[in-house]
Amino acid sequence: MELSLGLIVVVLLAGFFVGFFSAMFGVGGGVIMVPFMVLVLGITQHTAEGTSLLVIIPTAIAGVLAHRRRGFVSFSHGLLLGGGGAIGACLGASFALRIEEGSLTRGFAAFVIVAGLRIASQGWKLRSPG
Amino acid sequence: MTSATKRSYLIGVGFLGGLLGGLLGVGGGIVMVPLLVFVAGSSQHEAHATSLAAIIPIAVVGAARFGSAGEIDITAAVVLAVGTLVGAPLGARAMAGMSEGTLKILFGALTVVIGALMLWS
């Protein structure tokens, strides 16, 4: 990809926002990065996904180091999650590179919406006691 | 939940996170965080931080698979990463400063929006 100076500034700012978002919400940030790369940088979908995963490595490490200082990271849980995650990622990436992933994505989307509503309602109750 | 059940559950949650992560080029945290809160009994803050730790191996495996297929743009990755490395410690600090209730509402709202966008596309 050819980058002009102006575009470099835009990508740096996008990266900053992604890093902030990632550490705050415990996610990789690919949800922002992949569409950003496809729509703004004109990178193809698969290359955007691969690039996103590469960027997530240092981003997540930086976030974990910052959270660890405050005692928020459970490494015993993280190890088990990460072990299962590595197997799942291998499978998921193979699917992505080979087939249309529409129905699987919709299944995840439905779960995410229901889970989000439930977590928000837990938060709502915590903030309005009684 | 016995500790053996809990261990299998955590591995299963990681598997789902990894599956989504590898599929969409994301970390999978959006699936792992709620499952950690609902069943593993993690606080919202601990779930976010722990999810992030699990994302590291997911991203390593995913990036290796995509990379071996030649599907990585190194220039874009380097410039993005410079930005994320500055943003991540600040995001972690912002999270630490939030109450459990506020963090839950923000995360919940965010996941509903992301889920809707996933359905849309």
Side-chain angles (χ1 to χ4, degrees):
Chain A
M1 192 190 54
E2 292 296 317
L3 283 177
S4 66
L5 190 62
L7 199 52
I8 288 177
V9 173
V10 170
V11 177
L12 281 173
L13 284 173
F16 173 83
F17 180 71
V18 167
F20 189 93
F21 177 87
S22 159
M24 183 166 198
F25 291 112
V27 299
V31 151
I32 301 172
M33 271 189 287
V34 173
F36 172 77
M37 283 187 268
V38 172
L39 299 175
V40 180
L41 304 182
I43 292 174
T44 64
Q45 181 73 24
H46 280 163
T47 304
E49 290 174 7
T51 307
S52 161
L53 285 162
L54 185 63
V55 175
I56 287 172
I57 301 169
T59 310
I61 291 173
V64 167
L65 291 176
H67 284 312
R68 190 187 60 169
R69 282 204 304 273
R70 301 179 176 90
F72 287 129
V73 184
S74 163
F75 282 101
S76 59
H77 286 185
L79 206 63
L80 293 165
L81 284 168
I87 300 166
C90 207
L91 211 62
S94 303
F95 283 162
L97 291 169
R98 277 181 211 152
I99 58 160
E100 283 301 313
E101 62 270 13
S103 55
L104 204 46
T105 304
R106 277 193 293 277
F108 274 121
F111 166 78
V112 159
I113 291 173
V114 173
L117 289 172
R118 186 163 157 193
I119 293 219
S121 82
Q122 287 179 348
W124 200 259
K125 280 176 202 147
L126 279 175
R127 281 174 56 91
S128 48
Chain B
M1 174 152 44
T2 67
S3 62
T5 318
K6 187 165 180 175
R7 277 200 294 274
S8 331
Y9 174 76
L10 288 167
I11 293 172
V13 170
F15 178 80
L16 284 176
L19 192 63
L20 180 73
L23 199 59
L24 300 184
V26 301
I30 203 119
V31 171
M32 290 190 286
V33 168
L35 289 173
L36 281 170
V37 171
F38 295 156
V39 188
S42 308
S43 75
Q44 197 69 30
H45 290 76
E46 189 187 84
H48 288 201
T50 304
S51 158
L52 214 46
I55 284 171
I56 300 169
I58 290 175
V60 168
V61 171
R65 290 285 289 119
F66 277 89
S68 65
E71 301 282 11
I72 282 179
D73 187 321
I74 290 291
T75 313
V78 169
V79 183
L80 274 169
V82 170
T84 66
L85 286 174
V86 179
L90 297 174
R93 182 190 291 177
M95 184 200 86
M98 280 183 190
S99 74
E100 181 85 357
T102 306
L103 193 58
K104 276 179 183 291
I105 290 174
L106 280 178
F107 181 85
L110 171 84
T111 56
V112 170
V113 170
I114 290 172
L117 287 175
M118 282 167 70
L119 274 182
W120 214 289
S121 53

